[in-house]
Every structure is written in structure tokens, then in C-alpha cells.
Amino acid sequence: MLRITGNLSAVSSPAAASFSAALRLSVSHTLALASPPSHPRRFSTFSRSLFGRHISSLRVRPRVSSMYPMRLSGFSALKARASFSSGSSQSREILVQHVLVKEGDSELFAELQKRILDGEDMSDLAAEYSICPSKKEGGILGWVKLGQMVPEFEEAAFKAEPNHVVRCKTQFGWHLLQVLSEREPVKDIQVEELHSKMQDPVFMDEAQLIDVREPDEIATASLPGFKVFPLRQFGTWAPDITSKLNPEKDTFVLCKVGGRSLQVANWLQSQGFKSVYNVAGGIQAYSLKVDPSIPTY
């Protein structure tokens, strides 16, 4: 069974709660299992698939880079790393993991950095020491893009190389962060453009059209050519999705207003689908802007 979570768990530290709110992360539509993972410091199977393949196996020995001056022993010899060599910062999304400690905990911060350099997993350290609510997910903040984080954190994250741990200071404390992966965001398609494409028989034959709404919604309103993959039944169709759909083909995802379809579109992209489009505004927008004969609900 699946549920949709929209808020980070409350924590006792006001700074940590404020930090999570201030980041305005794009995790408000994160899918999660109804039951907690068997081990609190490991990702569930679904979380690993949602965030991208093989997150649990990202146990490379990270390098720590100094993004900002800091008077702690051992930091002076650390060098800043080059930024990503590909992709536009404006459109690129990055999957970020971090550990947050209070500004005054310089000894703990130095210890955590050393332990990461010695090969300890950041997920474990975040679960034990971080004051950010993301500690429950091993420090994973989710996929973020420019404009969603406080400036100091954003600058450090978007200049970091993948799997190279960097440090930065914000109003919430000191962070050790690393970028686990990067991607270009899922593309939106407007309903008018989709309607125009659907008039072409070649498009209808070649494109993969999927509707992630529930059966009762489909019975009320639907579009021709769309195959139904109900989000609530994710566990039944997700494991063999590449046998049901071709990752090489253009894939268009529809729901009522565009939220659920974006979740699934992002997940499909993480599974290696090359060209995924989210129908902006969903079937409701299609009814209002294209075909009023389609019922709204």
C-alpha cells in the first residue's frame, strides 16, 4: 500500500524545522511506503527506485572539499573541487544528501568529516548526528533545483562534483553535503500541444500514453489511447515497468491536475526512460482548454 507524504516530520529543534521549511525542497510530493523500512538507516526499496537506481550502493570513498574558509584543524589543506562539467545550472536538478550540526559543535563537525574521509557512510552519520529532519532518510533532501535552497547551501551544492563531500555554513549551522546524482527535470507538455499531437495517427501509434489516476476517475473522464497505471497500484506494475513500456520511446503521463503524473514521470526518468513528459494541468486542464465535453470532477 502506498501513501503520499507532503510534510517533513516535526523535530524538537526549531532550527532544524526552519531549515527544512526554508529550503522549500521539491519533496512535497515524495512517494513513500505506508510501513516504515525495516532498518531506519537504510532506504526502502521504493525510496531507492524513486530517488534513482543504486542509491544504496553509493558507497564511494568521498572526498571533502572546502567551499568556504573555516578555522578547524585539518581543513586548511583541503581543496575546492570543480563544478559539474555538463548541464545547465538553471534547469539541472541534483539529488542532495547532507549532515547538519549546530554552529557551535565544531569538534563534532571535524569528527564527522574525518569519519567520512575514513570511509564511513554519510547515511549512517546523518541518521545518528544530523539535526535536520532529513536524518530519517539518511540525510537525503531529495531532488532540488536552483531557487529552492538558502543561498549558501545552494552555492555549495551546485558547485560540488558528484560524490565529493563539501562543507558550508548557513544560518542553521554547518553542513557536510554531497550530490549523489544529477538530471535534467521532466518536461511539461501543455494540453493544447498534446491535443494537436494526438490528431496524428503516427504519434498515437508510437507514443506511450499512460494515465496514473484511479479506476473510478477513469470511469468519469478519460482520453483515448491512454493506458491505465493507477498510482495506488504502483507495487503491482512498477517492478517490471520496462517490459510493459519501452524506455526508448516518448512517454506522456497524465493525471487529474498534474501532481501525481509528475511523481510518476520523475520516477520513470530515474528508471532510465529517455524522454518523459508530464501533461501540465492534467485532464482537468484538457477539459477546460481543449474539449469541454470531457467531464470535470
Side-chain angles (χ1 to χ4, degrees), residues 7-11 17 133 136:
N7 298 303
L8 292 172
S9 302
V11 291
K136 293 184 177 181

Side-chain angles (χ1 to χ4, degrees), residues 4-129:
I4 299 178
T5 57
N7 298 303
L8 292 172
S9 302
V11 291
S12 57
S13 168
S18 299
F19 170 75
S20 296
L23 284 183
R24 303 179 187 276
L25 297 178
S26 56
V27 296
S28 59
H29 299 294
T30 297
L31 299 173
L33 291 174
S35 57
S38 58
H39 193 302
R41 296 187 187 180
R42 291 292 179 265
F43 300 105
S44 67
T45 301
F46 183 84
S47 295
R48 288 197 298 270
S49 64
L50 179 68
F51 287 135
R53 298 177 181 177
H54 314 306
I55 280 182
S56 61
S57 65
L58 287 174
R59 294 187 176 274
V60 296
R61 187 183 181 92
R63 303 174 187 174
V64 179
S65 305
S66 175
M67 298 299 298
Y68 299 96
M70 184 175 180
R71 292 184 177 88
L72 288 177
S73 60
F75 279 80
S76 58
L78 301 172
K79 303 294 184 181
R81 307 297 300 179
S83 61
F84 287 106
S85 59
S86 62
S88 166
S89 293
Q90 293 299 323
S91 62
R92 195 177 75 243
E93 294 179 330
I94 56 176
L95 180 61
V96 184
Q97 180 182 31
H98 82 139
V99 179
L100 171 65
V101 300
K102 294 178 181 179
E103 182 176 354
D105 287 345
S106 57
E107 290 185 5
L108 174 60
F109 189 74
E111 176 191 344
L112 293 177
Q113 180 189 241
K114 182 179 184 302
R115 290 170 67 175
I116 292 173
L117 281 170
D118 289 341
E120 288 196 45
D121 188 73
M122 183 179 284
S123 299
D124 295 332
L125 297 177
E128 185 170 355
Y129 296 105

Side-chain angles (χ1 to χ4, degrees), residues 147-268:
Q148 292 182 311
M149 300 176 287
V150 294
E152 301 88 350
F153 190 93
E154 187 171 273
E155 181 179 356
F158 277 88
K159 286 184 177 179
E161 284 188 52
N163 302 310
H164 284 69
V165 177
V166 300
R167 58 192 175 85
C168 71
K169 181 179 180 297
T170 69
Q171 67 198 81
F172 308 103
W174 282 101
H175 308 257
L176 288 169
L177 67 93
Q178 65 177 333
V179 175
L180 300 178
S181 185
E182 65 171 320
R183 70 183 184 191
E184 291 297 316
V186 166
K187 300 175 285 291
D188 277 344
I189 182 170
Q190 301 302 314
V191 291
E192 297 91 341
E193 182 182 355
L194 175 64
H195 174 72
S196 177
K197 288 180 177 294
M198 290 173 63
Q199 308 315 301
D200 183 353
V202 175
F203 172 82
M204 295 300 289
D205 185 57
E206 293 294 329
Q208 297 179 136
L209 308 174
I210 69 173
D211 191 327
V212 299
R213 295 175 300 142
E214 303 308 311
D216 60 322
E217 295 179 274
I218 303 292
T220 301
S222 61
L223 295 181
F226 278 79
K227 295 181 180 180
V228 180
F229 290 82
L231 185 54
R232 288 182 188 172
Q233 299 176 27
F234 178 87
T236 65
W237 53 259
D240 57 348
I241 189 62
T242 53
S243 67
K244 294 178 172 22
L245 299 173
N246 185 346
E248 301 298 323
K249 287 189 174 183
D250 290 349
T251 305
F252 299 79
V253 191
L254 174 76
C255 70
K256 181 180 180 180
V257 295
R260 286 172 288 175
S261 56
L262 179 59
Q263 297 169 29
V264 174
N266 279 323
W267 178 78
L268 287 171

